[in-house]
Amino acid sequence: MNKKLSRTVGMAAIALATAALASACSKENTQNPAVTAVPSASATAELAATAEPVKQAEDRLFWKPPEGWVGDVMPFSDNGQIHLFYLQDWRDGAPGFHPWHQASTANLIEYAYEGESIPFGQEADQDLALGTGSVIKAGDTYHAFYTGHNWKFPQEGKPKEAVMHALSKDLKSWTKVPADTFYAPEGYEKDDFRDPFLLYNEEKGEYWLLLSARKDGAGVIALFASKDLSKWEVREPLTVEESASFFMLECPDIFRMNGKWVLVFSEFSNQKSTHYRVSDSLDGPWMKPKKDVFDGRAFYAAKTGSLGDRRFLFGWVPTRQLEKDYMKWDWAGNMVAHEMTVGKDGSLGVKVPDEVDRLFATHAALGEARKLGTVAGDDGARVLDGSSGVSGIIFDQMPQTAKITGSVSFDEKVTYSGLVTGVGEEPEKAYGIQLEPGKDRIRYDAASGDNLSSLEPDVQVPIAFEPNVEYPFTIIIENAVAVFYIGDSALTTRIYKMPGGAWGWYSRAGKTTLSNLAVAVRAD
């Protein structure tokens, strides 16, 4: 996937005391007009009058390079490690951008930065900018296929995008093979032809190359076959259920899991979710499961890598302009990894990677500060009664890096319940993640609490909730990034106001029971 403007809406500001939420901004992607809401003077003043900055912790769990940011990640598993090629986002205004850089890990908590792998080209080259691709090993040679993107070419009557090839013996030094560059064949749109993914089809004895493309006015996953990784024969696109409803099916990835073939792709739209389909055969058809997403729009372009029999999903959480929660989303940010799971019904989900979970072995005190509204009970089980409006409990400063665990249940009257962070003297200017049981989803957005039900959430993930049922959850926090795991799903987001601030939980319009709430920090 090449760099594109993402639709942006602000983070949620939840009122524990007044049930009013602060406003924020939004930005449409390149398919839609921009929409911007200017923050109020009081909100801007409150954000400017922040406390002394909290020292940034190491980006260990949600990795980023020493300089710049992580764009689309292209995992390649080899010799007990996952090599994480990715689009390096410098944001330096240079004509060329998004060279491939590389990091590697064997445990999801320690990453080695390898620097640049494949540079972008000159202004007259097809790969003035690089886009997403994949790596495969054939014999003793590694092959990288990547997107070459030159936005100036259409003015010269040339295709904007092409598939390009590079070779390596050690995964570090790469040699481009310009002669193997190829373009969209007849019948495909020439300027949307990207994100090559390679696999070897053992049954047919040939290499397959999947591509994000457009044909007959719809997004498709194009298919090409080769015996030598040099000359490619066009085949019919994959048969993917509901594919015609997507403008593009970006960053495809195919792997074997739980006796099925699994296809993962990302939706290029306002929602920008990563979806999956399953099939008994590589030939398809690729069928949609009941719930086909793992996370929300702040976890994008996810692709997979494996360590032994375990598989992980790698995406990125975007930054915001000026590192302010009310500003627009940027493209690229920190890398986020989920461990993939298989449910009793065969459905796929995600959880905290085991290594990350074990890293948080030191108990930390909750440090309760105050209660708002009607709150009863203790650490074993607290009942937040928001029947008359809203109730909540606020704790002392959240650690810079932490794991929050517990279980939550709610009666049938609860409209919203969830986590709030960045709570200061004015809790109505906090930011939060809401569970919305009446809509069977978890969401993160900015609006008045009374208006949430009429708005499309900024970030949302479908989760089927039932009243009076306990749902265990885990929240992993590092610096401004938070991932909320509940059930077999995750919601990833970024909250700049979160580190070092007070935090809490709230319930609106009904009773929420919060059980076994605990905070742990890293043991090292």
Side-chain angles (χ1 to χ4, degrees):
M1 183 190 71
N2 296 304
K3 184 174 184 178
K4 313 175 193 70
L5 298 176
S6 306
R7 182 182 181 233
T8 303
V9 289
M11 303 291 194
I14 304 166
L16 291 176
T18 64
L21 301 178
S23 63
C25 336
S26 66
K27 176 180 180 183
E28 300 287 339
N29 63 26
T30 51
Q31 304 296 313
N32 299 285
V35 178
T36 301
V38 179
S40 68
S42 60
T44 304
E46 189 273 340
L47 283 164
T50 55
E52 183 177 340
V54 177
K55 183 179 179 181
Q56 176 88 356
E58 178 187 1
D59 292 295
R60 177 172 177 177
L61 307 180
F62 307 126
W63 186 85
K64 67 175 289 298
E67 297 181 58
W69 302 95
V70 174
D72 296 0
V73 184
M74 299 154 276
F76 172 65
S77 300
D78 190 48
N79 294 325
Q81 287 194 323
I82 304 178
H83 298 272
L84 298 157
F85 297 92
Y86 69 92
L87 303 184
Q88 170 78 9
D89 193 29
W90 286 116
R91 302 180 186 174
D92 57 2
F97 54 85
H98 292 170
W100 275 29
H101 280 216
Q102 183 188 168
S104 60
T105 185
N107 56 20
L108 283 298
I109 56 175
E110 296 172 312
Y111 292 85
Y113 176 50
E114 310 289 351
E116 185 176 79
S117 293
I118 305 177
F120 53 75
Q122 303 298 313
E123 291 200 42
D125 295 334
Q126 178 67 59
D127 60 353
L128 177 57
L130 269 63
T132 308
S134 66
V135 173
I136 197 170
K137 187 176 184 180
D140 63 351
T141 302
Y142 298 96
H143 297 255
F145 282 78
Y146 64 95
T147 307
H149 178 95
N150 193 321
W151 64 96
K152 300 179 180 181
F153 274 12
Q155 304 168 19
E156 304 172 17
K158 303 176 185 177
K160 183 189 298 183
E161 294 183 331
V163 174
M164 305 187 75
H165 188 193
L167 303 174
S168 176
K169 294 293 186 179
D170 59 6
L171 288 177
K172 298 181 184 298
S173 177
W174 292 85
T175 301
K176 297 179 181 180
V177 188
D180 285 350
T181 300
F182 71 96
Y183 300 85
E186 185 177 354
Y188 289 84
E189 296 184 17
K190 62 182 181 179
D191 292 332
D192 286 304
F193 191 68
R194 54 180 176 268
D195 305 343
F197 176 77
L198 282 157
L199 74 154
Y200 184 70
N201 188 325
E202 293 184 358
E203 182 179 335
K204 298 183 183 297
E206 60 189 14
Y207 293 97
W208 276 16
L209 187 65
L210 311 182
L211 282 155
S212 302
R214 284 182 55 78
K215 185 178 184 182
D216 300 326
V220 298
I221 295 180
L223 174 61
F224 297 80
S226 174
K227 296 288 187 179
D228 60 4
L229 291 170
S230 179
K231 299 179 179 62
W232 294 93
E233 175 187 338
V234 62
R235 301 280 176 83
E236 285 299 309
L238 300 188
T239 304
V240 180
E241 186 175 346
E242 294 190 349
S243 63
S245 64
F246 299 108
F247 180 83
M248 290 285 285
L249 289 73
E250 293 190 316
C251 303
D253 182 5
I254 286 182
F255 54 93
R256 187 84 170 163
M257 192 168 187
N258 194 37
K260 298 278 189 179
W261 288 102
V262 181
L263 166 67
V264 169
F265 62 90
S266 290
E267 172 186 356
F268 178 36
S269 73
N270 292 342
Q271 296 303 317
K272 301 184 78 68
S273 297
T274 297
H275 300 258
Y276 81 95
R277 300 289 187 267
V278 294
S279 177
D280 293 323
S281 166
L282 280 173
D283 293 322
W286 297 90
M287 306 306 294
K288 178 181 177 181
K290 183 177 181 180
K291 181 175 76 69
D292 73 326
V293 297
F294 306 99
D295 200 328
R297 69 184 301 272
F299 176 80
Y300 192 63
K303 294 169 73 80
T304 71
S306 61
L307 291 173
D309 294 332
R310 301 163 65 204
R311 187 160 289 271
F312 303 89
L313 193 63
F314 295 88
W316 51 265
V317 54
T319 59
R320 286 190 183 273
Q321 294 177 4
L322 302 180
E323 297 189 353
K324 298 293 185 183
D325 291 306
Y326 56 80
M327 295 297 285
K328 301 173 182 178
W329 292 110
D330 287 311
W331 188 91
N334 292 66
M335 183 168 60
V336 174
H338 302 317
E339 183 164 355
M340 299 190 69
T341 63
V342 179
K344 293 180 179 179
D345 61 353
S347 61
L348 301 185
V350 293
K351 69 171 187 174
V352 183
D354 289 342
E355 294 85 345
V356 174
D357 190 57
R358 291 194 297 264
L359 185 65
F360 293 91
T362 302
H363 175 77
L366 287 169
E368 185 174 324
R370 65 189 187 275
K371 299 174 182 177
L372 300 172
T374 304
V375 179
D378 54 23
D379 289 357
R382 290 181 176 85
V383 179
L384 284 56
D385 189 351
S387 300
S388 60
V390 65
S391 68
I393 187 164
I394 299 174
F395 303 100
D396 290 341
Q397 287 191 348
M398 180 181 290
Q400 193 80 6
T401 303
K403 177 177 74 172
I404 302 172
T405 55
S407 294
V408 62
S409 64
F410 17 71
D411 65 20
E412 64 280 356
K413 296 180 181 178
V414 169
T415 54
Y416 303 101
S417 179
L419 174 81
V420 286
T421 64
V423 181
E425 292 303 315
E426 299 176 90
E428 70 275 8
K429 289 172 182 164
Y431 296 85
I433 300 173
Q434 301 101 314
L435 309 180
E436 192 178 10
K439 297 289 183 66
D440 282 336
R441 64 189 178 191
I442 180 172
R443 61 186 290 165
Y444 187 56
D445 48 2
S448 165
D450 293 331
N451 295 329
L452 282 178
S453 61
S454 65
L455 297 176
E456 185 69 14
D458 176 8
V459 182
Q460 65 174 317
V461 180
I463 298 176
F465 290 117
E466 295 182 13
N468 304 310
V469 173
E470 280 199 357
Y471 293 95
F473 64 84
T474 299
I475 308 167
I476 303 295
I477 290 167
E478 184 177 65
N479 298 319
V481 178
V483 183
F484 193 120
Y485 293 91
I486 187 167
D488 62 355
S489 299
L491 185 147
T492 299
T493 193
R494 183 184 294 274
I495 314 173
Y496 288 105
K497 197 178 179 182
M498 176 174 58
W503 64 282
W505 200 282
Y506 80 104
S507 180
R508 182 180 176 87
K511 292 181 180 180
T512 293
T513 301
L514 196 57
S515 304
N516 301 316
L517 188 65
V519 176
V521 295
R522 289 186 347 201
D524 56 348

